[in-house]
Amino acid sequence: MCLINFLSYPRKILLIGATWPKYHSSLGYKIRRTVTLANILSLLLCLSYNASFHMGDFVQFSESLYMLISVVNAFLKIVLLTLNGKVFLKLIGMLETPSFKRFETLYKKIVKDFLKTVKAVEFFYWIEVSGTVLFLSLFPIFESEALPMDFPHFNNGTFHYPFYIFEAFSLFVSAYDNMAVDLLTVGIISIAAVQLRILNQKLVDTDKNIKNMPNYSVGNVERLTIGYLTECCIHYSDIEKYVKSILEVFSVIIFVQLGTSVVAICNAGMMILSVKLASIEALSLFFYIVTMFAQLGMYCWFGNFVYVESLEVTTSCYLSHWDERRSAVRKTLFMLMERAKKPLAIRAVKFATLSFDTFIAIIKWSYSYFALLNNSMKN
């Protein structure tokens, strides 16, 4: 089973928008990428201009801000991915690393189980993003509003309908590109977790795998074990390099996501308090808030997988029946355990590690910010 399958869906979306990095892009591909970025940037500038008109109205300003944050988020992610294109392509090339491929068939159930999880997350996230875009685009039609996102100069008049189409289309482009980068990041991180789990299972199954070798005999068990564990050390080293490459490409993107999540969740919560609960707008806000939680949650969830599986390496070494082997085998295991003492982790520019603790902390910050703004508005 090819590891690139973890990235197949986001790759398709990014290729449509021409934002998937390539070593040699055609002129047509570059033009499509420019159009995509220009479209999102145009919406970003319009929302920024709109927000400047509502500085004195807290509710209207929150409405402008919560969508503006998401569009800024999408734009920055795509720009950062484009700027790190060559490093990203090297990272993709690492999926063909021999140590990643060698035991893929033997432990294909681990790969399949992780892939099922990733695909389930993709499907759920796609529903949330699609629901947000659909209801946000349609609620003005059903509730006699001017535009999906209020804009002073085009709420009516000659340019109203063209601007409506522009907002809906730009919202669609930015939302789906943002979703694609999120799912790409999650897929890349999940591959690291898969490799760590395979490594842990390889260590636990040391005796069994050696006995299944074609050249196995009682007389050369020690030599085969040393060779097998040396290969495990190489596998760990390759995973370590892979995680470092992830941080090089995605750490700033992850930081942007964590930072904007607090503001986006808080402002969407403020908007919920100001709309009719039995309305299409409330439904679009509900989908938006669930999307924000899902977006934040999947980053932290898959990042937590990497951290936990990395911590398990020392335990797996201990479970490899080291006590039945001689000193050379024990020394090899000891070296691997020493290297694994500092667990691998996915970090956001050294400020935070993706884990359940980070998820809970951001939810707390969001609630604190929400409570502060809500009290300020009441006063």
Side-chain angles (χ1 to χ4, degrees):
M1 185 176 291
C2 189
L3 293 174
I4 199 67
N5 289 336
F6 283 82
L7 315 176
S8 57
Y9 182 64
R11 184 174 181 271
K12 287 177 184 176
I13 297 175
L14 292 172
L15 283 172
I16 290 170
T19 47
W20 178 272
K22 290 185 176 182
Y23 281 117
H24 303 290
S25 302
S26 65
L27 178 61
Y29 195 81
K30 290 177 180 176
I31 291 172
R32 280 165 52 209
R33 179 188 296 159
T34 303
V35 169
T36 299
L37 288 169
N39 192 268
I40 298 173
L41 181 60
S42 299
L43 181 62
L44 191 158
L45 293 174
C46 287
L47 289 172
S48 300
Y49 179 71
N50 182 41
S52 68
F53 277 84
H54 301 298
M55 297 293 287
D57 187 333
F58 187 78
V59 174
Q60 288 291 327
F61 182 69
S62 291
E63 184 176 356
S64 302
L65 191 60
Y66 94 91
M67 280 310 303
L68 175 60
I69 289 295
S70 293
V71 176
V72 168
N73 194 355
F75 183 75
L76 287 176
K77 285 178 182 176
I78 294 166
V79 169
L80 288 167
L81 181 63
T82 303
L83 291 175
N84 290 302
K86 290 184 178 179
V87 184
F88 170 76
L89 291 171
K90 288 180 181 177
L91 175 63
I92 297 299
M94 292 178 73
L95 301 183
E96 299 299 319
T97 302
S99 63
F100 284 12
K101 304 289 287 182
R102 176 145 187 205
F103 282 84
E104 197 175 283
T105 304
L106 182 61
Y107 295 108
K108 64 181 178 182
K109 188 178 184 305
I110 293 175
V111 181
K112 284 180 72 174
D113 288 346
F114 258 97
L115 186 58
K116 282 182 182 178
T117 302
V118 170
K119 293 302 178 184
V121 168
E122 282 180 357
F123 181 68
F124 175 77
Y125 192 44
W126 175 83
I127 289 174
E128 295 304 322
V129 171
S130 299
T132 301
V133 173
L134 179 65
F135 290 115
L136 191 59
S137 299
L138 292 181
F139 90 82
I141 297 173
F142 294 101
E143 298 181 7
S144 303
E145 294 287 340
L147 293 165
M149 291 157 282
D150 179 56
F151 195 74
H153 305 298
F154 299 120
N155 287 337
N156 48 51
T158 307
F159 296 101
H160 171 257
Y161 288 108
F163 200 77
Y164 192 125
I165 294 170
F166 161 74
E167 280 198 349
F169 179 73
S170 299
L171 183 64
F172 173 84
V173 171
S174 62
Y176 271 77
D177 273 320
N178 192 13
M179 176 185 71
V181 177
D182 288 336
L183 294 177
L184 176 66
T185 309
V186 165
I188 290 284
I189 292 171
S190 67
I191 290 169
V194 166
Q195 292 303 319
L196 282 166
R197 183 164 293 183
I198 289 174
L199 174 63
N200 283 323
Q201 198 59 51
K202 280 165 60 179
L203 289 165
V204 173
D205 294 342
T206 298
D207 278 1
K208 184 175 76 173
N209 288 337
I210 288 171
K211 287 176 182 177
N212 288 332
M213 289 180 179
N215 57 340
Y216 170 79
S217 67
V218 177
N220 66 354
V221 169
E222 292 295 315
R223 182 177 60 81
L224 290 175
T225 304
I226 291 171
Y228 179 85
L229 292 177
T230 300
E231 189 177 87
C232 288
C233 291
I234 293 169
H235 191 181
Y236 183 82
S237 180
D238 288 336
I239 297 170
E240 201 171 33
K241 290 175 186 175
Y242 178 76
V243 170
K244 285 180 181 177
S245 295
I246 292 175
L247 298 179
E248 192 174 350
V249 179
F250 291 101
S251 63
V252 178
I253 290 175
I254 294 167
F255 177 75
V256 168
Q257 179 57 54
L258 297 185
T260 56
S261 290
V262 176
V263 182
I265 291 170
C266 174
N267 279 280
M270 294 300 299
M271 283 298 303
I272 283 284
L273 298 179
S274 64
V275 300
K276 295 179 181 178
L277 292 180
S279 65
I280 301 294
E281 185 177 10
L283 192 57
S284 72
L285 281 167
F286 170 76
F287 268 93
Y288 179 82
I289 290 174
V290 174
T291 301
M292 290 297 101
F293 279 112
Q295 190 178 42
L296 176 62
M298 66 186 187
Y299 272 83
C300 293
W301 188 31
F302 284 97
N304 194 72
F305 272 134
V306 173
Y307 185 72
V308 170
E309 290 296 333
S310 182
L311 286 173
E312 283 293 313
V313 173
T314 52
T315 303
S316 298
C317 288
Y318 184 79
L319 295 173
S320 64
H321 299 286
W322 58 271
D323 54 316
E324 299 173 6
R325 298 288 174 256
R326 295 175 187 170
S327 60
V329 171
R330 296 179 185 184
K331 284 178 182 178
T332 306
L333 280 170
F334 180 75
M335 285 190 293
L336 180 55
M337 291 174 76
E338 283 298 305
R339 287 191 64 182
K341 271 186 177 179
K342 184 180 179 182
L344 302 177
I346 308 298
R347 294 186 176 85
V349 199
K350 298 182 181 180
F351 285 102
T353 298
L354 290 186
S355 65
F356 291 143
D357 290 340
T358 301
F359 178 75
I360 293 168
I362 290 175
I363 297 302
K364 286 180 178 178
W365 294 339
S366 299
Y367 177 76
S368 299
Y369 182 35
F370 170 79
L372 178 64
L373 290 180
N374 192 31
N375 288 334
S376 300
M377 189 171 69
K378 287 179 180 177
N379 294 333

